[in-house]
Short mmCIF file of all heavy atoms in Angstrom, two decimals:
data_model
loop_
_atom_site.label_atom_id
_atom_site.label_comp_id
_atom_site.label_asym_id
_atom_site.label_seq_id
_atom_site.Cartn_x
_atom_site.Cartn_y
_atom_site.Cartn_z
N TYR A 1 -1.44 7.17 -16.90
CA TYR A 1 -1.35 5.74 -16.46
C TYR A 1 -2.25 5.52 -15.27
O TYR A 1 -2.46 6.43 -14.42
CB TYR A 1 0.08 5.36 -16.22
CG TYR A 1 0.85 6.27 -15.37
CD1 TYR A 1 0.69 6.43 -13.98
CD2 TYR A 1 1.84 7.09 -15.97
CE1 TYR A 1 1.41 7.33 -13.20
CE2 TYR A 1 2.64 7.98 -15.18
CZ TYR A 1 2.35 8.06 -13.83
OH TYR A 1 3.08 8.95 -13.07
N GLN A 2 -2.79 4.32 -15.12
CA GLN A 2 -3.73 4.01 -14.06
C GLN A 2 -3.15 2.98 -13.08
O GLN A 2 -2.97 1.81 -13.46
CB GLN A 2 -5.07 3.49 -14.65
CG GLN A 2 -5.79 4.51 -15.48
CD GLN A 2 -6.29 5.70 -14.66
OE1 GLN A 2 -6.64 5.55 -13.50
NE2 GLN A 2 -6.19 6.88 -15.22
N PRO A 3 -2.85 3.35 -11.85
CA PRO A 3 -2.35 2.37 -10.88
C PRO A 3 -3.47 1.39 -10.49
O PRO A 3 -4.67 1.70 -10.56
CB PRO A 3 -1.93 3.24 -9.70
CG PRO A 3 -2.76 4.44 -9.81
CD PRO A 3 -2.93 4.69 -11.26
N GLU A 4 -3.05 0.20 -10.10
CA GLU A 4 -4.01 -0.84 -9.68
C GLU A 4 -4.30 -0.67 -8.18
O GLU A 4 -3.39 -0.60 -7.36
CB GLU A 4 -3.43 -2.20 -9.96
CG GLU A 4 -4.44 -3.33 -9.65
CD GLU A 4 -3.95 -4.66 -10.16
OE1 GLU A 4 -2.98 -4.71 -10.91
OE2 GLU A 4 -4.57 -5.66 -9.77
N THR A 5 -5.56 -0.58 -7.82
CA THR A 5 -5.98 -0.41 -6.40
C THR A 5 -5.81 -1.68 -5.63
O THR A 5 -6.28 -2.75 -6.04
CB THR A 5 -7.42 0.09 -6.33
OG1 THR A 5 -7.54 1.33 -7.02
CG2 THR A 5 -7.79 0.34 -4.87
N ILE A 6 -5.12 -1.58 -4.51
CA ILE A 6 -4.93 -2.76 -3.63
C ILE A 6 -5.82 -2.60 -2.39
O ILE A 6 -5.60 -1.69 -1.60
CB ILE A 6 -3.44 -2.90 -3.22
CG1 ILE A 6 -2.58 -3.07 -4.43
CG2 ILE A 6 -3.23 -4.05 -2.25
CD1 ILE A 6 -1.10 -3.13 -4.15
N GLU A 7 -6.81 -3.47 -2.29
CA GLU A 7 -7.78 -3.34 -1.18
C GLU A 7 -7.78 -4.55 -0.24
O GLU A 7 -8.56 -4.58 0.72
CB GLU A 7 -9.17 -3.17 -1.79
CG GLU A 7 -9.31 -1.86 -2.60
CD GLU A 7 -10.70 -1.68 -3.20
OE1 GLU A 7 -11.33 -2.76 -3.48
OE2 GLU A 7 -11.18 -0.56 -3.31
N SER A 8 -6.95 -5.56 -0.54
CA SER A 8 -6.92 -6.70 0.33
C SER A 8 -5.58 -7.43 0.21
O SER A 8 -4.77 -7.10 -0.67
CB SER A 8 -8.04 -7.72 -0.10
OG SER A 8 -7.78 -8.23 -1.41
N LEU A 9 -5.36 -8.39 1.10
CA LEU A 9 -4.11 -9.15 1.02
C LEU A 9 -4.04 -9.95 -0.27
O LEU A 9 -2.92 -10.13 -0.83
CB LEU A 9 -4.04 -10.08 2.27
CG LEU A 9 -2.70 -10.81 2.46
CD1 LEU A 9 -1.55 -9.84 2.62
CD2 LEU A 9 -2.77 -11.72 3.67
N THR A 10 -5.15 -10.40 -0.75
CA THR A 10 -5.18 -11.14 -2.00
C THR A 10 -4.72 -10.24 -3.14
O THR A 10 -3.93 -10.68 -4.03
CB THR A 10 -6.58 -11.68 -2.32
OG1 THR A 10 -7.01 -12.49 -1.23
CG2 THR A 10 -6.62 -12.46 -3.60
N ASP A 11 -5.23 -9.02 -3.18
CA ASP A 11 -4.78 -8.05 -4.21
C ASP A 11 -3.28 -7.84 -4.15
O ASP A 11 -2.59 -7.75 -5.16
CB ASP A 11 -5.47 -6.71 -4.05
CG ASP A 11 -6.94 -6.76 -4.34
OD1 ASP A 11 -7.38 -7.76 -5.03
OD2 ASP A 11 -7.74 -5.93 -3.86
N LEU A 12 -2.80 -7.74 -2.91
CA LEU A 12 -1.34 -7.45 -2.71
C LEU A 12 -0.47 -8.63 -3.17
O LEU A 12 0.53 -8.43 -3.83
CB LEU A 12 -1.11 -7.20 -1.21
CG LEU A 12 0.31 -6.87 -0.81
CD1 LEU A 12 0.82 -5.58 -1.49
CD2 LEU A 12 0.44 -6.74 0.71
N GLU A 13 -0.91 -9.84 -2.89
CA GLU A 13 -0.17 -11.04 -3.28
C GLU A 13 -0.07 -11.18 -4.82
O GLU A 13 0.85 -11.79 -5.35
CB GLU A 13 -0.78 -12.26 -2.64
CG GLU A 13 -0.54 -12.30 -1.14
CD GLU A 13 -1.34 -13.45 -0.49
OE1 GLU A 13 -2.23 -14.02 -1.18
OE2 GLU A 13 -1.05 -13.76 0.68
N LYS A 14 -1.02 -10.59 -5.54
CA LYS A 14 -1.06 -10.72 -6.98
C LYS A 14 -0.07 -9.72 -7.65
O LYS A 14 0.25 -9.87 -8.82
CB LYS A 14 -2.45 -10.44 -7.52
CG LYS A 14 -3.47 -11.49 -7.20
CD LYS A 14 -4.86 -11.11 -7.72
CE LYS A 14 -5.94 -12.14 -7.36
NZ LYS A 14 -7.23 -11.73 -7.84
N GLN A 15 0.41 -8.74 -6.90
CA GLN A 15 1.28 -7.75 -7.46
C GLN A 15 2.71 -8.30 -7.72
O GLN A 15 3.17 -9.15 -6.97
CB GLN A 15 1.40 -6.52 -6.53
CG GLN A 15 0.09 -5.81 -6.30
CD GLN A 15 -0.49 -5.26 -7.55
OE1 GLN A 15 0.14 -4.54 -8.30
NE2 GLN A 15 -1.72 -5.63 -7.84
N SER A 16 3.33 -7.77 -8.73
CA SER A 16 4.72 -8.12 -9.07
C SER A 16 5.64 -7.51 -7.99
O SER A 16 5.19 -6.74 -7.17
CB SER A 16 5.12 -7.62 -10.43
OG SER A 16 4.24 -8.11 -11.42
N LYS A 17 6.92 -7.89 -8.03
CA LYS A 17 7.89 -7.29 -7.08
C LYS A 17 7.90 -5.80 -7.16
O LYS A 17 8.11 -5.12 -6.17
CB LYS A 17 9.27 -7.87 -7.37
CG LYS A 17 9.44 -9.34 -7.08
CD LYS A 17 9.58 -9.61 -5.60
CE LYS A 17 9.87 -11.06 -5.31
NZ LYS A 17 11.19 -11.53 -5.70
N ILE A 18 7.74 -5.25 -8.39
CA ILE A 18 7.65 -3.81 -8.60
C ILE A 18 6.38 -3.56 -9.39
O ILE A 18 6.20 -4.12 -10.51
CB ILE A 18 8.85 -3.22 -9.32
CG1 ILE A 18 10.12 -3.60 -8.58
CG2 ILE A 18 8.73 -1.72 -9.46
CD1 ILE A 18 11.41 -3.12 -9.26
N SER A 19 5.46 -2.74 -8.90
CA SER A 19 4.24 -2.46 -9.61
C SER A 19 3.78 -1.06 -9.42
O SER A 19 4.27 -0.35 -8.51
CB SER A 19 3.16 -3.45 -9.13
OG SER A 19 2.88 -3.25 -7.75
N LEU A 20 2.84 -0.62 -10.25
CA LEU A 20 2.21 0.70 -10.09
C LEU A 20 0.87 0.48 -9.36
O LEU A 20 0.02 -0.18 -9.85
CB LEU A 20 1.98 1.34 -11.47
CG LEU A 20 1.40 2.76 -11.43
CD1 LEU A 20 2.38 3.73 -10.81
CD2 LEU A 20 1.09 3.21 -12.86
N ALA A 21 0.82 0.99 -8.14
CA ALA A 21 -0.32 0.65 -7.28
C ALA A 21 -0.90 1.84 -6.54
O ALA A 21 -0.24 2.90 -6.44
CB ALA A 21 0.11 -0.43 -6.29
N LYS A 22 -2.10 1.63 -5.99
CA LYS A 22 -2.74 2.65 -5.17
C LYS A 22 -3.18 1.93 -3.86
O LYS A 22 -3.78 0.87 -3.92
CB LYS A 22 -3.95 3.26 -5.84
CG LYS A 22 -4.71 4.27 -4.96
CD LYS A 22 -6.02 4.70 -5.58
CE LYS A 22 -5.83 5.58 -6.79
NZ LYS A 22 -7.13 6.06 -7.31
N ILE A 23 -2.89 2.58 -2.73
CA ILE A 23 -3.25 1.96 -1.41
C ILE A 23 -3.94 3.03 -0.60
O ILE A 23 -3.87 4.23 -0.86
CB ILE A 23 -2.01 1.48 -0.67
CG1 ILE A 23 -1.02 2.66 -0.40
CG2 ILE A 23 -1.30 0.31 -1.40
CD1 ILE A 23 0.11 2.26 0.56
N ARG A 24 -4.65 2.53 0.44
CA ARG A 24 -5.30 3.45 1.38
C ARG A 24 -4.93 2.99 2.78
O ARG A 24 -4.70 1.82 3.01
CB ARG A 24 -6.81 3.38 1.23
CG ARG A 24 -7.33 3.97 -0.06
CD ARG A 24 -8.84 3.99 -0.10
NE ARG A 24 -9.35 4.56 -1.36
CZ ARG A 24 -10.64 4.79 -1.56
NH1 ARG A 24 -11.53 4.56 -0.62
NH2 ARG A 24 -11.03 5.31 -2.69
N GLY A 25 -4.91 3.92 3.73
CA GLY A 25 -4.60 3.53 5.10
C GLY A 25 -4.57 4.73 6.01
O GLY A 25 -4.85 5.92 5.60
N SER A 26 -4.22 4.49 7.23
CA SER A 26 -4.20 5.52 8.27
C SER A 26 -2.77 5.84 8.67
O SER A 26 -1.95 4.95 8.85
CB SER A 26 -4.93 5.00 9.51
OG SER A 26 -4.89 5.91 10.58
N VAL A 27 -2.44 7.14 8.73
CA VAL A 27 -1.10 7.55 9.07
C VAL A 27 -0.83 7.24 10.53
O VAL A 27 -1.62 7.62 11.40
CB VAL A 27 -0.93 9.09 8.84
CG1 VAL A 27 0.42 9.52 9.32
CG2 VAL A 27 -1.12 9.42 7.40
N SER A 28 0.26 6.59 10.85
CA SER A 28 0.63 6.23 12.22
C SER A 28 1.93 6.89 12.63
O SER A 28 2.19 7.02 13.85
CB SER A 28 0.79 4.70 12.37
OG SER A 28 1.79 4.21 11.48
N GLN A 29 2.77 7.33 11.67
CA GLN A 29 4.06 7.93 12.08
C GLN A 29 4.65 8.68 10.87
O GLN A 29 4.42 8.31 9.72
CB GLN A 29 5.03 6.85 12.50
CG GLN A 29 6.36 7.36 12.98
CD GLN A 29 7.38 6.24 13.27
OE1 GLN A 29 7.07 5.07 12.99
NE2 GLN A 29 8.50 6.54 13.82
N ILE A 30 5.39 9.71 11.19
CA ILE A 30 6.18 10.40 10.16
C ILE A 30 7.57 10.68 10.74
O ILE A 30 7.69 11.08 11.93
CB ILE A 30 5.52 11.69 9.71
CG1 ILE A 30 6.28 12.30 8.54
CG2 ILE A 30 5.40 12.71 10.81
CD1 ILE A 30 5.59 13.42 7.80
N LYS A 31 8.58 10.46 9.95
CA LYS A 31 9.95 10.71 10.39
C LYS A 31 10.76 11.14 9.19
O LYS A 31 11.01 10.35 8.28
CB LYS A 31 10.56 9.45 11.04
CG LYS A 31 11.90 9.71 11.69
CD LYS A 31 12.32 8.50 12.48
CE LYS A 31 13.63 8.77 13.21
NZ LYS A 31 14.11 7.56 13.96
N GLY A 32 11.09 12.43 9.12
CA GLY A 32 11.75 12.95 7.93
C GLY A 32 10.83 12.89 6.74
O GLY A 32 9.70 13.41 6.78
N ASN A 33 11.27 12.23 5.70
CA ASN A 33 10.42 12.08 4.47
C ASN A 33 9.76 10.72 4.42
O ASN A 33 9.36 10.27 3.34
CB ASN A 33 11.23 12.34 3.23
CG ASN A 33 12.45 11.42 3.07
OD1 ASN A 33 12.58 10.46 3.86
ND2 ASN A 33 13.32 11.68 2.15
N ILE A 34 9.60 10.05 5.56
CA ILE A 34 9.00 8.71 5.58
C ILE A 34 7.67 8.78 6.40
O ILE A 34 7.65 9.32 7.49
CB ILE A 34 9.95 7.72 6.24
CG1 ILE A 34 11.27 7.58 5.46
CG2 ILE A 34 9.27 6.36 6.39
CD1 ILE A 34 11.11 7.03 4.05
N ILE A 35 6.63 8.19 5.80
CA ILE A 35 5.35 8.07 6.51
C ILE A 35 4.98 6.59 6.60
O ILE A 35 5.18 5.82 5.65
CB ILE A 35 4.21 8.81 5.69
CG1 ILE A 35 4.40 10.32 5.78
CG2 ILE A 35 2.83 8.45 6.29
CD1 ILE A 35 3.39 11.07 4.99
N LYS A 36 4.51 6.20 7.79
CA LYS A 36 4.05 4.85 7.97
C LYS A 36 2.52 4.86 7.81
O LYS A 36 1.84 5.67 8.39
CB LYS A 36 4.37 4.30 9.37
CG LYS A 36 5.89 4.13 9.59
CD LYS A 36 6.45 2.98 8.77
CE LYS A 36 7.90 2.73 9.13
NZ LYS A 36 8.49 1.64 8.34
N LEU A 37 2.02 3.97 6.95
CA LEU A 37 0.61 3.93 6.62
C LEU A 37 0.09 2.51 6.88
O LEU A 37 0.62 1.56 6.40
CB LEU A 37 0.37 4.30 5.16
CG LEU A 37 -1.03 4.77 4.74
CD1 LEU A 37 -1.32 6.14 5.34
CD2 LEU A 37 -1.13 4.81 3.24
N LYS A 38 -0.95 2.41 7.76
CA LYS A 38 -1.49 1.10 8.11
C LYS A 38 -2.87 0.95 7.64
O LYS A 38 -3.66 1.94 7.60
CB LYS A 38 -1.50 0.91 9.64
CG LYS A 38 -0.10 0.69 10.24
CD LYS A 38 -0.22 0.41 11.75
CE LYS A 38 1.17 0.13 12.34
NZ LYS A 38 1.05 -0.12 13.79
N ASN A 39 -3.25 -0.27 7.22
CA ASN A 39 -4.64 -0.59 6.89
C ASN A 39 -4.98 -1.97 7.51
O ASN A 39 -4.21 -2.47 8.31
CB ASN A 39 -4.93 -0.57 5.39
CG ASN A 39 -3.97 -1.41 4.57
OD1 ASN A 39 -3.48 -2.45 5.06
ND2 ASN A 39 -3.76 -1.04 3.33
N ASP A 40 -6.08 -2.55 7.06
CA ASP A 40 -6.55 -3.83 7.72
C ASP A 40 -5.63 -5.00 7.44
O ASP A 40 -5.70 -5.99 8.22
CB ASP A 40 -7.94 -4.15 7.24
CG ASP A 40 -8.97 -3.12 7.66
OD1 ASP A 40 -8.68 -2.42 8.70
OD2 ASP A 40 -10.01 -3.00 7.01
N PHE A 41 -4.79 -4.96 6.40
CA PHE A 41 -4.02 -6.16 6.06
C PHE A 41 -2.52 -5.97 6.02
O PHE A 41 -1.81 -6.96 5.95
CB PHE A 41 -4.52 -6.68 4.68
CG PHE A 41 -4.42 -5.70 3.56
CD1 PHE A 41 -3.31 -5.58 2.76
CD2 PHE A 41 -5.50 -4.87 3.27
CE1 PHE A 41 -3.20 -4.69 1.77
CE2 PHE A 41 -5.45 -3.96 2.22
CZ PHE A 41 -4.31 -3.88 1.48
N HIS A 42 -2.00 -4.74 6.09
CA HIS A 42 -0.56 -4.59 6.09
C HIS A 42 -0.15 -3.16 6.50
O HIS A 42 -1.01 -2.25 6.56
CB HIS A 42 0.00 -4.88 4.72
CG HIS A 42 1.30 -5.69 4.77
ND1 HIS A 42 2.47 -5.17 5.26
CD2 HIS A 42 1.55 -6.98 4.40
CE1 HIS A 42 3.43 -6.08 5.20
NE2 HIS A 42 2.90 -7.22 4.72
N GLU A 43 1.13 -3.01 6.73
CA GLU A 43 1.69 -1.64 6.95
C GLU A 43 2.64 -1.32 5.82
O GLU A 43 3.41 -2.18 5.36
CB GLU A 43 2.49 -1.62 8.27
CG GLU A 43 3.09 -0.24 8.54
CD GLU A 43 3.92 -0.20 9.85
OE1 GLU A 43 4.98 -0.82 9.89
OE2 GLU A 43 3.47 0.48 10.77
N PHE A 44 2.52 -0.13 5.28
CA PHE A 44 3.29 0.34 4.16
C PHE A 44 4.21 1.50 4.60
O PHE A 44 3.82 2.33 5.43
CB PHE A 44 2.40 0.84 3.04
CG PHE A 44 1.51 -0.24 2.44
CD1 PHE A 44 0.32 -0.59 3.06
CD2 PHE A 44 1.90 -0.90 1.30
CE1 PHE A 44 -0.51 -1.57 2.51
CE2 PHE A 44 1.08 -1.88 0.76
CZ PHE A 44 -0.11 -2.23 1.38
#
């Protein structure tokens, strides 16, 4: 299966409440099994 690449806020807004996606970003924090990932338009 092929996830849909999200590269902008517009791409993100088009996604359903639950979707198969691919994102990119910079690691800002890790705590346990949780990683915070930031890019130009959002934090994941």
Side-chain angles (χ1 to χ4, degrees):
Y1 45 74
Q2 295 297 322
E4 186 171 347
T5 301
I6 300 177
E7 297 180 329
S8 66
L9 189 59
T10 303
D11 293 340
L12 182 61
E13 290 171 346
K14 291 178 181 178
Q15 297 300 305
S16 304
K17 292 284 185 69
I18 304 176
S19 61
L20 183 65
K22 178 190 288 186
I23 61 171
R24 294 185 180 186
S26 176
V27 176
S28 60
Q29 182 187 8
I30 186 169
K31 190 172 183 180
N33 57 9
I34 300 295
I35 290 178
K36 295 291 186 180
L37 200 71
K38 289 184 177 180
N39 55 28
D40 295 337
F41 57 90
H42 222 291
E43 180 180 69
F44 297 82

